[in-house]
Amino acid sequence: MTRTRQSRSWTSWTLRLTESDPAALEEAARFFLPSCRDLFMPRSRDLANSSRWTFFPDMRLELLGPDAIPWARVEWVDLLWMDVHPLLLIKVTGDKPFAPDDVKWVAAAAASWHPAHPGASPAIWRGGGREFHLRQWILGDVLALPAERWDGVDGRVHWFGQDLPAFNLCHAEPGWPDEGVLDDLVPHLALGMASWREEFGPDAATRKAILDHHLQEWANWRLYEWRNRLTLFLAGKTTHGQPRNTETYYTLLFAAVCYQRVRLTDFLDQATGPGAGIAALRSGFAAFRRQYLPHRVTTYVMGDQIYDFLRAANRLAGRREMMVTGITADAMRPGVRPAG
C-alpha cells in the first residue's frame, strides 16, 4: 500500500492527545501487546510510516436536531490503515444537555448513512455555510473521493445496514439513568431506533435479549453490544480511567472486531465463489490471521475481558477454540484521485 500523495488536512493522530510527549505516548501504547501496538497506537508522526492518521474539520460540523438547532458536532476523524479495508473512527459529541429521548435521537441520527426506507432522509449536518448528509461530508470533504467512486464505498457500508457501526458513550451524574430509564434506552441505542419508530419493534423477547447481553465489571458502568452497536453507560463517580479509557482504547477494540467480521466474510465469499484459488486464499488468510485475528490484543485484564466479550457477541472464535466503512486501501487514500 503506497501513500505517495497526502492531503494537507490529515496529520498525525498523536497531535490531538492531551499528553502527546513521547513518554506519555509510550505509556498509553502499553495497553496493547507489542504485536498490535504499532497498528493501533503508532508513535511516529510521519504519516508515510504511520498506520493511523487524524483529521480535524476546518469548519464547525454540526448535527442539526429536529428543531433545526445544532445538537452535536464532529470533533475529529481517525483513519486506521487496516489491510484491504481501512477504517474511519468519527468522534461526535453532544452540544446540549440530553434527556433520554434526545440521546435516542442523536444515537440514531449521527450514524445514519443511507435512508432507512423510501421517502426517508439521513440526518442533516451543517458546516461552512452548507447543509449536507454525513455521507457527503465524509466521502467528498474528508476522503476527497470523486463522486464516481462513492458507490464502491456504499457497497461496503451496506454490509452493516443503513447506519454506520456506532459506539455510544452515555456519561451521567449519579443516579442517571435509573434502571427504568436504562431499560428503555438500551434497546434504542442498540438497534439505532428513534423514539418515533416504536411501532416497528423491538418485541419483548428482543428487548430482554439485549438487556441481558452485557458485561458488568464495576457497579457504575455497563457495556452492551448488539448488532454493530456498542453502548457504554457511565453513572456515578468515574473510576478506573473512565471515560478516557473508552475513547483511547475500547473504541479500538470495537473497530478491530468490526474489521475482523468484514474480512472473514470476504474470505468466505471468495472461497465459495467461482474460480476460487484455494492456495492463494490460504496464504491470504494466514497473513490476515497473523496480523488482524489475534486471540489477545491487550496487556490489561479489563481490556482482555472486553475484547473477548465483543468477539463472542459477534460469533468470532475465542481463545479456547478476532463515523466504519471499508473499501480498497488505494480508493480510500485521502486526497488521492484513484486511477481509471
Side-chain angles (χ1 to χ4, degrees):
M1 180 169 55
T2 58
R3 306 174 195 175
T4 55
R5 294 175 59 193
Q6 300 163 358
S7 168
R8 294 180 182 177
S9 300
W10 291 88
T11 187
S12 169
W13 78 280
T14 63
L15 298 181
R16 64 171 175 73
L17 298 179
T18 304
E19 298 175 339
S20 58
D21 62 273
L25 186 55
E26 287 291 336
E27 178 63 28
R30 290 194 186 100
F31 176 87
F32 292 100
L33 291 169
S35 59
C36 23
R37 198 167 290 164
D38 288 338
L39 173 65
F40 291 117
M41 287 197 167
R43 276 83 82 203
S44 172
R45 293 193 178 186
D46 178 8
L47 296 188
N49 297 312
S50 178
S51 60
R52 188 175 178 184
W53 302 2
T54 199
F55 178 96
F56 294 104
D58 56 6
M59 57 186 175
R60 185 177 175 87
L61 187 70
E62 302 169 320
L63 172 64
L64 301 185
D67 54 6
I69 302 298
W71 280 31
R73 69 184 186 279
V74 172
E75 291 196 17
W76 48 258
V77 181
D78 272 10
L79 174 62
L80 284 177
W81 282 96
M82 300 288 208
D83 186 27
V84 181
H85 301 300
L87 302 179
L88 292 176
L89 307 178
I90 307 168
K91 183 180 180 183
V92 179
T93 59
D95 254 2
K96 62 187 283 290
F98 286 144
D101 280 344
D102 300 337
V103 174
K104 298 174 190 176
W105 186 88
V106 170
S112 64
W113 189 264
H114 290 293
H117 56 85
S121 177
I124 298 296
W125 296 77
R126 183 173 65 196
R130 297 185 294 142
E131 291 189 354
F132 37 76
H133 303 312
L134 182 65
R135 172 178 177 269
Q136 295 171 297
W137 182 69
I138 290 294
L139 300 184
D141 293 40
V142 177
L143 297 178
L145 295 178
E148 61 266 23
R149 306 292 301 197
W150 289 15
D151 286 346
V153 180
D154 289 344
R156 300 309 302 172
V157 174
H158 264 310
W159 197 93
F160 295 101
Q162 291 90 11
D163 298 335
L164 301 179
F167 193 140
N168 300 302
L169 171 61
C170 299
H171 185 202
E173 294 300 319
W176 188 97
D178 60 31
E179 289 299 320
V181 173
L182 183 65
D183 288 353
D184 180 54
L185 276 173
V186 168
H188 283 83
L189 297 180
L191 299 176
M193 189 177 299
S195 55
W196 60 85
R197 304 287 295 174
E198 291 279 2
E199 66 271 21
F200 293 103
D203 59 23
T206 302
R207 290 180 63 91
K208 184 177 187 305
I210 294 174
L211 291 171
D212 289 345
H213 193 68
H214 70 273
L215 172 72
Q216 183 170 2
E217 178 67 11
W218 300 303
N220 66 339
W221 71 270
R222 291 183 181 179
L223 186 71
Y224 298 81
E225 202 276 354
W226 187 267
R227 298 177 184 173
N228 313 318
R229 289 175 177 269
L230 192 64
T231 300
L232 178 63
F233 279 101
L234 294 170
K237 182 180 180 181
T238 56
T239 58
H240 303 281
Q242 291 296 350
R244 177 179 174 274
N245 285 352
T246 294
E247 179 177 328
T248 307
Y249 305 120
Y250 301 158
T251 52
L252 295 172
L253 301 183
F254 179 54
V257 170
C258 285
Y259 180 75
Q260 291 168 9
R261 289 175 57 200
V262 172
R263 290 290 283 127
L264 287 171
T265 301
D266 281 347
F267 283 113
L268 288 173
D269 289 344
Q270 293 172 43
T272 57
I278 300 302
L281 277 175
R282 285 177 175 171
S283 176
F285 181 77
F288 161 73
R289 183 176 182 179
R290 284 193 301 270
Q291 185 168 7
Y292 299 109
L293 198 65
H295 292 311
R296 291 186 61 208
V297 298
T298 173
T299 61
Y300 284 49
V301 173
M302 192 63 243
D304 223 17
Q305 291 185 27
I306 291 175
Y307 184 60
D308 286 347
F309 167 75
L310 294 175
R311 284 164 53 87
N314 286 277
R315 299 183 178 88
L316 299 176
R319 71 183 60 179
R320 294 181 179 178
E321 340 240 271
M322 117 194 121
M323 89 119 20
V324 170
T325 62
I327 57 174
T328 62
D330 285 342
M332 186 175 269
R333 189 179 307 123
V336 179
R337 180 180 293 273

